[in-house]
Amino acid sequence: MSAEKSGKTTTVEAMLGLLSGGPLSGYEIKKRIGESIGNFWSESFGQIYPTLKRMVAEGLAKVEDDQGTGGRERKRYRLTDAGRNRLGEWLTLPAMDQVPRNELLLKLFFGNRAERDDMKKLVETKKAELSADLKRFEAIEARIAATYAGHPGLPYWLMTVRYGKAEAVGLIAWCDDCLGTFKEML
Amino acid sequence: MSAEKSGKTTTVEAMLGLLSGGPLSGYEIKKRIGESIGNFWSESFGQIYPTLKRMVAEGLAKVEDDQGTGGRERKRYRLTDAGRNRLGEWLTLPAMDQVPRNELLLKLFFGNRAERDDMKKLVETKKAELSADLKRFEAIEARIAATYAGHPGLPYWLMTVRYGKAEAVGLIAWCDDCLGTFKEML
DNA sequence: TAGCACATGTAATAAGTTACATGATTTT
DNA sequence: AAAATCATGTAACTTATTACATGTGCTA
């Protein structure tokens, strides 16, 4: 009924999702992101605090004043029913992915303007990063599978981790393919 | 020598790369992007025209006044030596990739707040998109391999296309894995 | 003559990061 | 006593998209 001026700010939805597990403060949201969705999502304090304020104004969350570990200031935000509904609606909407800018591919596309070995190094560096990522994802997978056995969220959390794994595996193969091409370019 | 206030604006570098193949107008740059790096890079007119102006101010390019197909206005920009050098330097610098926001994974991460079938549909849609992408990339690969046989840029252009293919293949496998998980979740 | 492709640019808006400003509490 | 962590928030800046404003020339 209220005039919605909302654009397509997924920041709200990300925070809605995080708050759906129980009330959190802005500071906790930031930390929680790093521990959970940090591999494919990020928010800065400059976004979090104003967004929290907006969410309260729109009736999606309410503040729960609360003292932290000591007498420290701490405002916890709890989802309202409106907030929970909004999350539910958003979840069923198709996910849109924008064309992400890929700087490595941009450089590679202009590769013939540079030294072959410099371009090769770019790919080698990428491969090393991907290998490290893969290892990290495998560790996360094993850890959460053990820690959250039986939890209804686990299958979904595993899917997100395995996405990272699948992407890394695919791109490591691509790196090897490129490295083969560089060998032929001698 | 001049005071460089430049941040990390890869927009300039993308345009430097495009101009390295010969002078282009702003309009042509936009079109060219769609025909070449459009699958992993994009620029809007709102970026292109002001950036072109900045590049001239920084001595990276110069204007070549020119009438277009008819008496239409058209300014073509040609790289200067400084521009070519700047491109060369940038190409050897390591590519940094930011954590891209992945809306599909964000939804999936909160999947247990929604209906299993809605989440399944999200993955099915993604798989369909990836399959279409894969087909498209294969067509591009075949086309450029035939069209630019022997061209020194070809190995690099193929690398960028094959990146898309490798990613799609990896993620299609991931989709199938997810679909298997959904079956088990019944 | 209407519509589309060509062509350039600006203004408004959106979305986000980084740096700044402030202060309490806990740990070393 | 210093440093790290907890905690909230704002201001300045950056980057990019979309809509607007304007006009030419070709084609159906």
Side-chain angles (χ1 to χ4, degrees):
Chain A
M1 307 299 174
S2 64
E4 303 261 279
K5 68 178 64 179
S6 109
K8 50 207 62 190
T9 169
T10 35
T11 292
V12 173
E13 283 79 14
M15 288 174 48
L16 245 21
L18 288 169
L19 293 179
S20 74
L24 294 169
S25 68
Y27 191 84
E28 287 171 323
I29 285 173
K30 182 77 192 291
K31 232 191 359 174
R32 191 64 65 90
I33 288 173
E35 298 159 358
S36 56
I37 56 176
N39 285 304
F40 53 84
W41 205 265
S42 70
E43 299 290 352
S44 61
F45 283 126
Q47 283 279 96
I48 291 172
Y49 287 113
T51 300
L52 244 14
K53 202 174 259 185
R54 255 182 60 216
M55 284 166 70
V56 172
E58 291 177 29
L60 301 172
K62 55 182 169 51
V63 200
E64 250 169 34
D65 251 82
D66 176 357
Q67 36 272 69
T69 326
R72 282 200 204 89
E73 185 188 17
R74 183 209 265 168
K75 289 184 201 165
R76 280 241 176 79
Y77 293 80
R78 181 186 292 274
L79 279 201
T80 60
D81 286 341
R84 211 164 292 273
N85 290 341
R86 172 82 167 267
L87 175 64
E89 285 160 27
W90 173 76
L91 282 172
T92 67
L93 256 41
M96 61 121 205
D97 47 11
Q98 77 284 40
V99 177
R101 287 173 156 212
N102 188 319
E103 198 177 317
L104 174 62
L105 293 190
L106 188 64
K107 283 175 198 264
L108 239 29
F109 188 84
F110 300 119
N112 60 322
R113 311 280 173 213
E115 293 297 321
R116 190 205 75 135
D117 281 1
D118 288 328
M119 295 299 106
K120 192 180 155 206
K121 189 157 203 174
L122 251 32
V123 173
E124 283 166 344
T125 301
K126 180 68 176 179
K127 186 184 170 183
E129 286 168 9
L130 288 166
S131 301
D133 287 343
L134 183 56
K135 226 174 225 172
R136 195 162 48 81
F137 292 143
E138 276 164 352
I140 293 172
E141 185 183 25
R143 182 170 56 74
I144 66 172
T147 311
Y148 299 103
H151 192 293
L154 181 60
Y156 290 107
W157 304 337
L158 286 176
M159 283 180 203
T160 66
V161 178
R162 287 177 184 151
Y163 183 104
K165 279 178 61 186
E167 196 177 31
V169 168
L171 294 183
I172 287 169
W174 169 78
C175 288
D176 288 332
D177 184 59
C178 288
L179 263 14
T181 301
F182 283 120
K183 212 166 274 174
E184 287 166 25
M185 282 169 70
L186 268 169
Chain B
M1 307 293 178
S2 62
E4 304 262 279
K5 68 178 62 177
S6 112
K8 55 205 57 190
T9 168
T10 36
T11 291
V12 173
E13 283 79 13
M15 288 174 48
L16 245 22
L18 289 169
L19 292 180
S20 74
L24 293 169
S25 68
Y27 192 85
E28 287 171 323
I29 285 172
K30 182 77 191 293
K31 234 192 358 175
R32 192 63 65 90
I33 288 173
E35 298 160 356
S36 56
I37 57 177
N39 285 304
F40 53 84
W41 204 266
S42 70
E43 299 290 353
S44 61
F45 284 128
Q47 282 280 96
I48 291 171
Y49 287 113
T51 300
L52 244 13
K53 203 176 256 185
R54 256 182 59 215
M55 285 167 70
V56 171
E58 290 177 31
L60 302 171
K62 55 181 167 55
V63 200
E64 251 170 31
D65 250 82
D66 178 356
Q67 34 273 70
T69 325
R72 283 201 203 87
E73 186 188 17
R74 182 209 265 166
K75 290 185 200 166
R76 278 242 175 79
Y77 293 80
R78 180 186 293 275
L79 278 200
T80 59
D81 287 340
R84 210 165 291 274
N85 290 339
R86 171 83 167 268
L87 175 64
E89 285 160 26
W90 173 76
L91 282 173
T92 66
L93 256 40
M96 61 121 204
D97 47 11
Q98 75 284 41
V99 177
R101 289 174 156 211
N102 189 320
E103 200 178 315
L104 173 64
L105 292 191
L106 188 65
K107 283 174 196 262
L108 240 28
F109 189 85
F110 301 119
N112 59 323
R113 311 280 173 215
E115 294 297 323
R116 190 205 75 135
D117 281 0
D118 288 328
M119 294 299 106
K120 193 180 154 206
K121 190 157 203 174
L122 251 33
V123 174
E124 284 166 343
T125 301
K126 179 69 176 180
K127 188 183 169 184
E129 286 169 8
L130 289 166
S131 301
D133 286 343
L134 183 56
K135 223 172 228 175
R136 195 161 48 82
F137 291 144
E138 277 164 350
I140 293 172
E141 187 183 23
R143 182 169 56 74
I144 66 173
T147 312
Y148 299 103
H151 192 293
L154 181 61
Y156 289 107
W157 303 337
L158 285 176
M159 283 181 202
T160 66
V161 178
R162 287 178 183 150
Y163 183 103
K165 278 178 61 186
E167 198 177 32
V169 168
L171 294 183
I172 286 170
W174 169 79
C175 288
D176 288 331
D177 185 57
C178 289
L179 263 13
T181 301
F182 282 120
K183 213 166 275 178
E184 287 166 26
M185 282 169 72
L186 269 170

